[in-house]
Amino acid sequence: MTALAPPSPRASRSGPLQIPARRRSPWRAIAAVVVTAVVVVAFWSVQISWDRLADLPADIGRYLWLMFSSPEWSKLPEALWQTWRSIEMAWVGTILGIVLATPLSLIAARGFGPVWLRGILRLVFSVIRAVPELIIAIIILSVTGLTPLTGALALAVNGIGTLGKWGYEAVEAVPPGPIEAARAAGGSTAQVLRWGVWPQAQPVFLSFWLYRFEINVRSSAVLGLIGVGGIGDMLTSYTQYREWSTVGMLLIVVIVVTMAIDAASGALRRRIMEGPRVR
C-alpha cells in the first residue's frame, strides 16, 4: 500500500488561500433594526421642547448661582439633625435587612436547601429587587404612616432582595473543600454552614453589608421626598418654597456626609477583603 505524498510547496504557493465566507445570521440584522426603531420611537415620544434646550445651560447656571452663591448656613443645625435621622433610618433598615436576608440567602444557596424552596426564595428576591424603595415605602405608609419607621422598613424590604441574591452567590462561590470535609465528618447542614461555609464567606458578607448601608444612606434621602422624615423631607419643603439658598446648603450637607460615609465604608471593605497593608 503506497503512502500519500505530501503536497509540493510549488502547488501550495500557486495561489492565495480561499477563506470560506462567514455565514451571517439574519436575526442579528433584524434585532439591530428593531432596537434602532424602539430607540427612535422612544426618543420622539418624549416630546422634547427643542427651543427650551437652548436655554437649558443658562437656566442651570442661574439656579446653581442661586443655590451656592450664598448658602443659608443658619439652617445648618436643623440640616445636620435631619441628616442624622436619615442615617438612623438607613442603619435600622440595613440591620433589619441583614437579619432577614442572611438566613434566607443560606437556604437559597445550591446544596443547602430543597430545590422547590430555592426556586421560591430566588423568585422572591428577584421580585423585591424589581420594585423601587419609593414604591415599597408608599405601600407601607398606608399602615405605619409618615414616620421614619416607614423609610426604614422600605429599605429593609428592598435590602432583602439585594442581600439575598448577593448572599447565596457568595455561598455558592465558596471552595468545596471545607464543605466536603465537614460533611464527611458527619456534620449537619447547620454545622456545614457554620464551619465549612461561614469562615470563608464571612468577609464577602461583611463587605456586602457595608455596601448595602452605603446604598441605604443615599436612598434614605430620596425616601424623605414622600414625607417620611430626614434630609429629603427638608429638601423637598424648601424646594417647594423656592428658598434656593437653603436648598444649596442642604445639597452641600448631603454631598459631604454621603461622601464621608462612602469613604469610611470603602476603607472598611478594603480592610476586610484585603487585610491590613504592610508598610
Side-chain angles (χ1 to χ4, degrees):
M1 184 175 181
T2 59
L4 295 176
S8 62
R10 183 177 301 175
S12 62
R13 291 195 294 266
S14 59
L17 295 176
Q18 298 293 329
I19 300 176
R22 190 175 182 181
R23 291 188 61 185
R24 294 185 177 182
S25 174
W27 294 107
R28 298 181 65 180
I30 294 174
V33 171
V34 171
V35 170
T36 303
V38 170
V39 171
V40 171
V41 172
F43 183 81
W44 287 107
S45 63
V46 175
Q47 298 179 355
I48 299 176
S49 180
W50 297 102
D51 55 343
R52 295 195 61 183
L53 282 180
D55 300 331
L56 186 60
D59 290 339
I60 292 176
R62 182 167 64 89
Y63 282 109
L64 289 177
W65 173 260
L66 291 174
M67 287 188 292
F68 300 112
S69 61
S70 57
E72 183 60 54
W73 296 110
S74 63
K75 300 289 196 309
L76 181 60
E78 182 183 359
L80 293 176
W81 168 246
Q82 294 298 334
T83 302
W84 176 249
R85 295 188 67 184
S86 294
I87 295 174
E88 287 179 329
M89 191 189 309
W91 178 254
V92 173
T94 304
I95 296 300
L96 291 176
I98 291 171
V99 171
L100 296 173
T102 301
L104 296 179
S105 64
L106 297 177
I107 299 173
R110 188 178 297 110
F112 296 98
V115 176
W116 62 270
L117 185 56
R118 294 205 310 263
I120 292 175
L121 289 176
R122 296 189 182 199
L123 178 62
V124 170
F125 295 156
S126 298
V127 171
I128 292 175
R129 290 197 309 274
V131 183
E133 296 99 335
L134 198 62
I135 304 300
I136 297 175
I138 292 173
I139 296 173
I140 294 176
L141 68 82
S142 61
V143 178
T144 58
L146 293 175
T147 63
L149 177 62
T150 302
L153 292 177
L155 294 174
V157 172
N158 191 264
I160 292 174
T162 54
L163 292 174
K165 177 180 173 56
W166 294 341
Y168 73 72
E169 289 180 347
V171 172
E172 292 177 353
V174 168
I179 299 175
E180 295 174 355
R183 284 175 174 165
S188 61
T189 301
Q191 291 172 333
V192 170
L193 288 171
R194 172 62 184 87
W195 303 109
V197 174
W198 184 249
Q200 303 176 86
Q202 182 183 10
V204 181
F205 271 82
L206 293 176
S207 177
F208 287 158
W209 295 348
L210 287 171
Y211 184 56
R212 182 63 206 183
F213 176 63
E214 295 177 27
I215 296 174
N216 286 348
V217 169
R218 291 188 290 270
S219 299
S220 63
V222 178
L223 290 177
L225 300 177
I226 63 174
V228 297
I231 192 66
D233 194 2
M234 189 177 178
L235 186 60
T236 303
S237 300
Y238 284 101
T239 302
Q240 291 175 348
Y241 289 109
R242 298 182 177 273
E243 296 188 19
W244 301 116
S245 59
T246 305
V247 171
M249 182 272 299
L250 294 174
L251 290 177
I252 292 174
V253 171
V254 170
I255 293 172
V256 170
V257 171
T258 303
M259 290 180 63
I261 292 176
D262 286 353
S265 178
L268 285 174
R269 285 190 285 113
R270 285 192 298 272
R271 179 66 179 264
I272 291 170
M273 297 301 295
E274 301 174 5
R277 295 182 180 180
V278 180
R279 296 184 179 180

